[in-house]
């Protein structure tokens, strides 16, 4: 996607003045928060930090998609189903038009975006300086993977399903812990619980979160959608 030399006006206006009802600027805030948390050094890293980082990216992705859809509808004067383009934003899922605030499925939001692009990309190509055909084809696969992983938009926020993947501490044994504490091994953390008779009850060790693969997908999807959103605001909303 083409980059622009300076921040558009939307970054300096209240939410009530936003062309997209404020979805994009809040998405920027969540994305920036995720990037800054990921930038922490190993010494600054806190236990289970992958969960809030992943959630921040996941929420930024949802908000970016909603912003992009709203800007496209309003710029291209596409009605929100039964309502005009200037009306309350709706998303079409199957045959129904649902208020955008009630839709959290990122794959469904992306399908709506793709449908608009399929019908209007030629118009956008001729009326703007952005190459809309340069959107990464991998984006659809990333969003499908995210949706498969977190269908209810709750995985990174609550305990429950998938808990074995979420926490940084895993069940272990003394033998396993000692095997990872050689002179050439990196520093590690472990927690060992003893009985009143000094017998080992449980042993746990800290390891890199198993969420790293999905967190990388979330980061890449948020980065691509941030660029699309930025182009939409600059090209189609006058920077508003």
């Amino acid at each position: 996607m083409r980059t622009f030399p300076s921040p558009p006006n939307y970054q300096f206006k209240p939410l009530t003045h936003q062309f997209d009802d404020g979805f994009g600027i809040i998405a920027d805030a969540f994305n920036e928060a995720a990037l800054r948390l990921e930038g922490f050094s190993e010494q600054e890293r806190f236990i289970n930090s992958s969960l809030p980082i992943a959630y921040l990216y996941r929420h930024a992705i949802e908000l970016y998609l909603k912003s992009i859809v709203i800007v496209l509808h309003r710029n291209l004067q596409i009605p929100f189903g039964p309502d005009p383009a200037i009306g309350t934003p709706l998303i079409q899922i199957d045959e129904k038009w649902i208020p955008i605030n009630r839709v959290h499925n990122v794959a469904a939001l992306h399908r709506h975006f793709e449908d608009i692009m399929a019908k209007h990309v030629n118009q956008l190509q001729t009326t703007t300086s952005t190459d809309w055909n340069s959107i990464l084809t991998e984006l659809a696969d990333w969003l499908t993977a995210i949706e498969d992983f977190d269908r209810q938009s709750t995985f990174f926020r609550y305990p429950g399903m998938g808990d074995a993947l979420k926490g940084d501490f895993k069940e272990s044994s003394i033998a396993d812990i000692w095997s990872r504490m050689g002179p050439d091994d990196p520093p590690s953390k472990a927690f060992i619980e003893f009985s009143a008779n000094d017998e080992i009850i449980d042993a746990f060790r800290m390891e890199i979160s198993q969420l790293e693969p999905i967190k990388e997908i979330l980061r890449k999807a948020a980065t691509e959608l941030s660029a699309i959103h930025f182009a939409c605001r600059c090209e189609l909303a006058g920077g508003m």
Side-chain angles (χ1 to χ4, degrees):
M1 303 295 294
R2 175 174 174 261
T3 58
F4 294 84
S6 60
N9 294 330
Y10 78 86
Q11 294 185 342
F12 306 105
K13 294 202 171 198
L15 298 180
T16 53
H17 291 247
Q18 305 285 322
F19 189 85
D20 68 343
D21 298 343
F23 283 99
I25 195 169
I26 297 178
D28 278 342
F30 274 86
N31 191 40
E32 182 65 23
L35 290 167
R36 293 194 185 196
L37 280 178
E38 273 210 295
F40 277 5
S41 67
E42 186 61 30
Q43 289 74 24
E44 296 173 303
R45 185 177 182 272
F46 53 89
I47 295 172
N48 298 325
S49 60
S50 289
L51 288 170
I53 291 170
Y55 172 70
L56 291 168
Y57 279 134
R58 166 64 173 76
H59 196 52
I61 287 166
E62 179 182 326
L63 296 178
Y64 277 137
L65 284 165
K66 289 178 177 180
S67 172
I68 292 164
V69 165
I70 292 171
V71 171
L72 288 169
H73 268 271
R74 289 178 175 168
N75 176 272
L76 299 171
Q77 299 183 20
I78 305 168
F80 288 109
D83 295 346
I86 60 171
T88 300
L90 305 174
I91 293 292
Q92 186 173 19
I93 298 180
D94 297 326
E95 300 300 319
K96 296 182 179 179
W97 287 86
I98 300 172
I100 203 166
N101 286 328
R102 288 171 45 197
V103 179
H104 306 291
N105 184 309
V106 295
L109 289 165
H110 183 249
R111 283 192 294 271
H112 191 98
F113 163 66
E114 283 192 315
D115 182 62
I116 295 173
M117 293 302 293
K119 296 175 181 176
H120 299 277
V121 68
N122 290 336
Q123 177 183 349
L124 292 170
Q125 287 288 90
T126 58
T127 57
T128 70
S129 58
T130 295
D131 181 6
W132 300 96
N133 289 317
S134 68
I135 295 172
L136 294 178
T137 56
E138 295 92 339
L139 179 61
D141 294 333
W142 295 336
L143 294 173
T144 298
I146 293 166
E147 190 59 34
D148 289 344
F149 201 87
D150 183 25
R151 290 187 177 276
Q152 303 301 319
S153 186
T154 57
F155 183 90
F156 306 109
R157 294 190 287 162
Y158 303 113
M161 185 177 295
D163 281 353
L165 297 175
K166 294 178 183 178
D168 284 345
F169 276 86
K170 313 297 181 186
E171 288 193 51
S172 188
S173 66
I174 290 294
D176 185 38
I177 291 170
W178 279 114
S179 71
R180 298 167 183 266
M181 298 179 67
D184 298 323
D185 291 323
S188 61
K189 295 179 181 179
F191 176 78
I192 301 171
E193 188 174 5
F194 293 88
S195 69
N197 298 321
D198 289 335
E199 296 176 340
I200 295 174
I201 299 174
D202 284 307
F204 307 90
R205 61 179 173 80
M206 188 175 184
E207 64 177 31
I208 296 176
S209 171
Q210 292 175 272
L211 297 179
E212 289 303 313
I214 190 65
K215 194 169 71 174
E216 182 179 357
I217 291 173
L218 286 160
R219 185 193 315 109
K220 291 190 291 188
T223 298
E224 179 67 6
L225 286 167
S226 174
I228 298 169
H229 159 259
F230 195 68
C232 281
R233 298 297 286 267
C234 292
E235 296 270 35
L236 307 177
M240 304 293 284

